[in-house]
Amino acid sequence: MILSNDFSRQWEDTEKDAVAAFIATGKSGWYILGGELQRFEEALAAYWSFPFAAGVASGLDAIELSLRALGCKAGDRVLTTPVSAFATTLAILKIGAVPVFSDVDACGLIDLDEAYNVASRGDIHYFVPVHLYGHALERHKLARFREDLGTNIVEDCAQSIGARSHGLPTGSVGQMAATSFYPTKNLGAMGDGGAILTRDHPCLLRIRMLRDYGQRTKYNHEIIGYNSRLDELQAALLRAVYLPRLTRWLQRRTGIADRYSAEIRNPAVQLIGMPAGSDSSWHLFPILISPTRKGCFLEHMKSRMVSASEHYPIAIPDQTAMAGVSFEIVPNGIESARTFCKSQVSLPIHPYLNDAEVSQVIETVNRWTG
Ligand SMILES: *Cc1c(COP(=O)(O)O)cnc(C)c1O
């Protein structure tokens, strides 16, 4: 079976370094908020061209703590996309804030022109855009929200480590960039983890308090915080094992994406574009299949031993859990998002796929009769 992610191959490649990192952390005798975290935060910030990074427990927490650090509170309206991992919206809901869903464009990413019109109405103070699939939203368009409207922006970069818009890393426009080290992500840990990147030192200090029970110094609790810390072991693995491989992994993802883009030729399969100036991190390789034929396509792939998955099959406001919470859909609706969700399929694109397997994925897609 050609898998969406192949962690046994990753382990084979990383075992020696991972065991060394484990031993070093064990011997240090310090397991939470220590030197490993600090060294990883410095390395991540340098990689991403930010002055500051703060490790937290997950991508979900990275978004929630970022919003909290910017002052977001219950009842505030937060503009976001209906097509993303549920965590993007969950972070908003956990604060008691009200998500406002604006529709997506043909790439499946939030339509920034439409979103700008929505934000212009004046009652929206926060925006959580998502660089979905690793495709970078146009930074000039994002910048208008801050410059013209004063909207606070937390960029959801959980899928976009390494992606650039017109030459600059995603996350560069907002006050905060939130990312995830969930194992399947481009930079994944051996468990849960996340980080916030920022240029704003006061915000960094608030994040450090929020992740550690709201204390500035030991037993001085200034605000109501969380327990959301990236542990030393994950930090050591990320810094010593995974981050040094990231550039090579991203190159491999791009190489696979280039082959898919050039060699997939099937009138029943539609490739997806991306915003102008986007240099994608290719977290996923999305395609579109007619909603009535998607089940058939997924069956075809599975029966030929190629995994294909969906990101994401249901628009967030249509999820069962949303029935009990307060949210808003913009007057123009989210029909593009709904159609997109019904059509979207992801092909395998992890860095340990070999060339023969990439060829096999292409052949299997091209042989589908639609
Ligand atoms: C994975 C993901 C998250 C959540 O990250 P976790 O570490 O799983 O909490 C948020 N947003 C997007 C776009 C994601 O892909």
Side-chain angles (χ1 to χ4, degrees):
M1 186 85 191
I2 298 181
L3 303 169
S4 299
N5 291 285
D6 196 328
F7 292 111
S8 58
R9 287 184 193 172
Q10 178 175 309
W11 179 251
E12 241 172 73
D13 174 33
T14 56
E15 178 173 346
K16 254 184 80 192
D17 294 342
V19 169
F22 182 83
I23 291 170
T25 309
K27 281 190 175 163
S28 79
W30 195 287
Y31 305 140
I32 291 280
L33 294 181
E36 285 296 351
L37 179 63
Q38 197 186 329
R39 283 191 289 280
F40 170 61
E41 287 173 340
E42 284 165 11
L44 182 71
Y47 173 82
W48 212 321
S49 309
F50 272 90
F52 311 117
V56 294
S58 68
L60 168 67
D61 284 6
I63 303 166
E64 184 182 352
L65 269 60
S66 294
L67 285 167
R68 280 279 310 270
L70 289 172
C72 184
K73 57 187 188 313
D76 286 346
R77 303 181 112 66
V78 184
L79 186 62
T80 193
T81 174
V83 182
S84 183
F86 193 71
T88 308
T89 289
L90 191 52
I92 299 165
L93 293 174
K94 284 180 71 189
I95 297 173
V98 180
V100 177
F101 296 103
S102 186
D103 212 354
V104 302
D105 59 17
C107 313
L109 276 66
I110 190 163
D111 183 326
L112 289 178
D113 297 321
E114 196 171 322
Y116 184 85
N117 290 336
V118 174
S120 303
R121 73 188 196 193
D123 66 342
I124 284 167
H125 304 297
Y126 300 90
F127 181 21
V128 183
V130 181
H131 303 282
L132 197 67
Y133 309 131
H135 298 180
L137 287 161
E138 250 228 281
R139 69 176 164 85
H140 304 108
K141 289 191 178 181
L142 269 183
R144 288 175 60 214
F145 289 79
R146 278 193 77 182
E147 288 161 10
D148 303 354
L149 307 174
T151 314
N152 295 297
I153 301 179
V154 173
E155 295 185 49
D156 182 339
C157 299
Q159 303 189 358
S160 70
I161 290 188
R164 288 169 178 269
S165 173
H166 297 282
L168 283 189
T170 56
S172 301
V173 177
Q175 285 101 322
M176 313 264 197
T179 197
S180 163
F181 308 122
Y182 183 78
T184 63
K185 299 289 154 86
N186 286 13
L187 180 63
M190 276 179 82
D192 276 309
I196 295 153
L197 292 108
T198 185
R199 296 192 167 76
D200 186 323
H201 195 254
C203 276
L204 173 77
L205 296 182
R206 278 199 294 282
I207 295 286
R208 283 189 183 153
M209 280 200 280
L210 282 168
R211 74 178 174 188
D212 193 28
Y213 315 129
Q215 59 192 346
R216 187 185 294 276
T217 55
K218 205 164 189 193
Y219 306 134
N220 286 307
H221 300 268
E222 292 187 15
I223 52 178
I224 300 298
Y226 303 73
N227 174 349
S228 182
R229 302 171 299 219
L230 183 67
D231 62 76
E232 291 288 285
L233 192 51
Q234 297 304 338
L237 289 164
L238 284 161
R239 180 188 58 83
V241 186
Y242 306 128
L243 191 56
R245 287 172 167 82
L246 183 56
T247 300
R248 187 154 43 83
W249 283 345
L250 290 170
Q251 280 166 356
R252 181 63 187 148
R253 285 177 183 273
T254 303
I256 296 168
D258 287 347
R259 281 200 60 195
Y260 285 165
S261 302
E263 296 175 46
I264 288 176
R265 266 185 230 96
N266 183 334
V269 173
Q270 193 190 325
L271 300 181
I272 297 177
M274 66 176 83
S278 166
D279 200 348
S280 182
S281 64
W282 291 109
H283 174 60
L284 295 167
F285 191 91
I287 56 173
L288 298 177
I289 307 282
S290 155
T292 55
R293 307 297 293 145
K294 183 154 104 168
C296 168
F297 178 79
L298 293 172
E299 255 325 295
H300 167 86
M301 298 298 282
K302 199 170 148 198
S303 69
R304 281 156 186 82
M305 307 298 279
V306 179
S307 90
S309 40
E310 296 169 276
H311 298 91
Y312 296 84
I314 302 172
I316 290 173
D318 298 338
Q319 291 284 354
T320 308
M322 297 302 289
V325 301
S326 114
F327 68 87
E328 196 184 308
I329 291 175
V330 300
N332 280 352
I334 53 157
E335 277 323 296
S336 301
R338 291 190 169 115
T339 306
F340 189 90
C341 288
K342 285 188 200 130
S343 316
Q344 194 277 346
V345 173
S346 300
L347 300 178
I349 191 166
H350 65 80
Y352 291 95
L353 276 180
N354 62 43
D355 290 342
E357 289 167 328
V358 174
S359 300
Q360 197 184 326
V361 173
I362 293 163
E363 260 177 59
T364 309
V365 172
N366 286 346
R367 253 197 247 119
W368 184 54
T369 50

